[in-house]
Amino acid sequence: MTASTARKIVGETATTYQNLIGGKWQPASDARTVDMVSPSDGQAFAKIARGTKADVDAAVKAARHAFEEGAWSKLTAVERGRLMTRLGEAILANHEELSQLEARDCGKPMKQARADITAAARYFEFYGGAADKVHGDTVPFLDGYMVTILREAKGVTGHIIPWNYPAQMFGRSLAPALAMGNAVVMKPAEDACVTPVRMAQLAQEVGFPPGALNVVTGIGEEAGAALASHPGIDFLSFTGSPEVGTLVQKAAAENHIGCTLELGGKSPQIVFEDADFDAAVPVVVNAIVQNGGQTCSAGSRVLVQKSIYEKFVALVVARFKLLRVGSHAMDLDCGPLISENQKRRVHGFIDRAKKDGIPVLAEAQIADGAPSGGFYVAPVLFGPVPRNNSLACDEVFGPVLSIIPFEDEADAVKLANSTEFGLVAGIWTRDGARQMRVAKKMRCGQVFVNGYGAGGGIELPFGGVKKSGHGREKGLEALHEFSHTKTIVFKHG
Ligand code: NAP
Ligand code: MG
């Protein structure tokens, strides 16, 4: 790190990341900081600003100025798009540095961090190209009238993101908002947020005008709550837990603004008796192991038709036993979980399931050489899991996979739709008619047939129903979330 975001504090070895407010790098208004811990060894490696209500207020005011009268407000759509494309290029140009940063901050294996940085760049490429392609409309109306519909930015948008994919979330949440001309304020999660801060620095370097993109780091109950409830925000985008999602939606309601909520899931993979086992097994296992299971769209339930139960489960068990867990630098199948808290939470699920007598089918290994002090949890495969057990219904957010048998197609559909969540579903069958029937019956936002993308694809609209939240991110759909229409009626006689 070279520039002012990350100066070395005299007498300390840690790097301190500051807030970006109105184009200036600043410490928290009361100069407090939070230690950033690497999940791989539990050691602090940096400090971030512990953003205050005053910092959030300053960031919202800077964004308002940028949106209404600053240089940002004067850019054309094509100029905004160019800036975004340049940011995508800058992310790729700094790919290795950003990957190392993301891996250390989140504990994720290097290969996952590298894929995440590539995806972050893709968001800016995709939405940079789209910035000048969202057009309005004209409407046939009464004789003597001309009606035109403009699509306008919402204004100042607030973005609260989680710790599981900070780099990807920076792109997923901010890029469509910026493409439409909003000015943004982001509050990343205290457990992992240095890559978003570094990417904000790259945005500044490629020429984003002051106030267009602001980042305030810190604690959820402080900076996060201040952002969610700020009366100067026009729209909120939140990804995280259902509990905090409720608070954010209440805050939005107080200010009479809209919000998108992406709150996780309990996504099923349905394996029918005619599935291609060789294709399904590695994908099914990877969908729970990716990012240590800390993925909103993790395939955390595998529903297996009874007629093939023993045969299919044996293949999953064999693969599960080969999984290895280690530090981000060891770059194995699975890294540590994000924090001691998350490790405790996931162990709680595992211990309760064992106490409930649910059979453990396989447990993976923590590799020799994984540093002590890291937040490691070995992936566990349970089955058959009773349908009403917490493990079959609740989001674990860790590497714990539940196998549940089903009878026939109708039973599979009922079981798949039986949780409070509805984010993603996977269907494994060679029967084309069944693929379509079952896909249409899934109550969720994305369905994968004979594959599983774990939320994948920048181009693909993504989001949930039920407790998984509402609103859509990704794809061209996200541009509509971050804009609204204005109808103008001309009477010309
Ligand atoms: P969380 O508390 O919902 O955190 C998400 C974001 O909200 C973070 O930036 C957090 O900041 C912020 N936040 C926390 N309290 C807030 C408040 N009162 N007002 C406004 N913002 C606030 O999620 P978590 O504690 O990190 O994880 C808990 C569980 O949520 C996980 O175990 C998992 O089940 C689920 N989760 C889901 C997703 C997903 O992608 N759907 C992602 C993460 C977690 P701080 O982190 O700084 O407190
Ligand atoms: Mg961290």
Side-chain angles (χ1 to χ4, degrees):
M1 297 290 300
T2 46
S4 52
T5 37
R7 70 190 161 83
K8 294 266 187 215
I9 297 180
V10 180
E12 295 190 41
T13 51
T15 300
T16 296
Y17 292 85
Q18 300 187 325
N19 290 324
L20 179 60
I21 299 175
K24 295 199 175 71
W25 293 98
Q26 305 177 10
S29 63
D30 59 8
R32 289 206 289 174
T33 58
V34 183
D35 280 343
M36 296 307 286
V37 167
S38 175
S40 289
D41 58 11
Q43 298 296 310
F45 68 92
K47 291 176 189 292
I48 56 161
R50 182 167 169 169
T52 63
K53 203 171 169 191
D55 295 325
V56 168
D57 189 50
V60 173
K61 286 193 173 119
R64 175 64 55 196
H65 182 266
F67 177 70
E68 286 182 359
E69 48 196 309
W72 180 242
S73 69
K74 305 204 167 43
L75 294 185
T76 60
V78 68
E79 288 166 333
R80 287 199 304 272
R82 273 189 201 127
L83 273 180
M84 296 179 60
T85 305
R86 268 189 238 142
L87 178 52
E89 287 165 0
I91 291 170
L92 290 179
N94 293 277
H95 195 278
E96 189 54 25
E97 180 215 326
L98 291 166
S99 303
Q100 299 273 357
L101 212 52
E102 183 79 342
R104 185 169 54 169
D105 199 6
C106 306
K108 57 181 74 189
M110 278 303 300
K111 52 182 164 298
Q112 179 66 49
R114 289 195 179 101
D116 289 357
I117 301 305
T118 304
R122 278 287 295 128
Y123 280 107
F124 287 96
E125 292 167 344
F126 179 80
Y127 289 109
D132 60 348
K133 294 170 191 69
V134 181
H135 301 161
D137 214 343
T138 56
V139 180
F141 195 52
L142 304 173
D143 186 33
Y145 287 82
M146 223 291 285
V147 177
T148 185
I149 297 179
L150 304 183
R151 190 156 271 282
E152 297 183 327
K154 292 216 154 151
V156 176
T157 53
H159 304 254
I160 299 175
I161 63 166
W163 40 256
N164 52 350
Y165 292 90
Q168 281 211 49
M169 288 301 310
F170 180 86
R172 175 171 129 190
S173 195
L174 295 192
L178 290 166
M180 295 309 298
N182 298 281
V184 304
V185 181
M186 168 168 277
K187 165 29 202 125
E190 77 197 71
D191 283 329
C193 62
V194 299
T195 317
V197 177
R198 175 71 178 116
M199 287 182 175
Q201 187 182 34
L202 292 175
Q204 201 185 26
E205 283 170 17
V206 302
F208 273 80
L213 193 167
N214 306 275
V215 178
V216 179
T217 56
I219 310 256
E221 292 78 5
E222 300 170 3
L227 181 60
S229 61
H230 199 291
I233 294 283
D234 297 305
F235 188 76
L236 281 165
S237 169
F238 173 81
T239 301
S241 62
E243 296 72 27
V244 178
T246 304
L247 297 177
V248 168
Q249 182 151 324
K250 278 185 183 161
E254 291 289 335
N255 286 324
H256 304 285
I257 60 168
C259 60
T260 54
L261 300 179
E262 202 271 88
L263 309 176
K266 190 74 185 176
S267 298
Q269 301 249 24
I270 313 173
V271 184
F272 287 99
E273 58 192 1
D274 65 339
D276 177 344
F277 290 6
D278 290 343
V281 171
V283 176
V284 160
V285 173
N286 186 56
I288 190 63
V289 172
Q290 179 182 328
N291 213 41
Q294 304 166 119
T295 303
C296 48
S297 53
S300 52
R301 292 186 292 155
V302 185
L303 318 185
V304 184
Q305 192 152 16
K306 275 191 178 152
S307 51
I308 53 152
Y309 188 83
E310 301 298 334
K311 198 172 160 209
F312 185 80
V313 170
L315 294 172
V316 177
V317 166
R319 195 164 182 104
F320 224 80
K321 284 185 176 157
L322 298 177
L323 294 172
R324 290 172 72 231
V325 182
S327 69
H328 63 280
M330 291 164 80
D331 203 12
L332 304 176
D333 303 296
C334 222
L337 300 190
I338 189 72
S339 62
E340 189 63 47
N341 258 349
Q342 191 66 9
K343 179 178 162 181
R344 204 174 308 124
R345 184 185 136 91
V346 172
H347 271 310
F349 274 98
I350 294 171
D351 293 346
R352 281 192 299 277
K354 287 180 178 170
K355 215 184 270 168
D356 290 345
I358 303 175
V360 173
L361 296 171
E363 209 155 356
Q365 296 297 317
I366 296 173
D368 293 341
S372 62
F375 312 128
Y376 299 98
V377 173
V380 192
L381 180 67
F382 284 99
V385 177
R387 295 179 179 207
N388 56 359
N389 188 274
S390 156
L391 215 51
C393 311
D394 300 326
E395 185 178 50
V396 177
F397 229 60
V400 180
L401 184 57
S402 301
I403 304 215
I404 311 171
F406 69 84
E407 295 286 345
D408 53 18
E409 187 178 311
D411 190 34
V413 168
K414 193 170 134 214
L415 181 56
N417 289 334
S418 66
T419 72
E420 291 181 300
F421 295 99
L423 193 57
V424 181
I427 301 169
W428 296 88
T429 174
R430 289 185 167 101
D431 179 337
R434 177 151 64 193
Q435 293 168 1
M436 282 178 231
R437 274 196 310 271
V438 177
K440 284 168 87 171
K441 285 191 180 140
M442 290 298 98
R443 290 206 59 211
C444 61
Q446 271 189 352
V447 180
F448 289 90
V449 178
N450 293 335
Y452 196 79
I458 288 36
E459 303 85 346
L460 314 178
F462 176 73
V465 301
K466 301 193 279 182
K467 205 174 170 178
S468 291
H470 53 73
R472 291 293 176 264
E473 299 183 283
K474 302 188 174 184
L476 296 176
E477 194 80 11
L479 298 166
H480 285 183
E481 295 283 357
F482 288 109
S483 61
H484 52 217
T485 57
K486 180 193 280 170
T487 307
I488 308 177
V489 181
F490 299 90
K491 185 171 183 210
H492 53 69

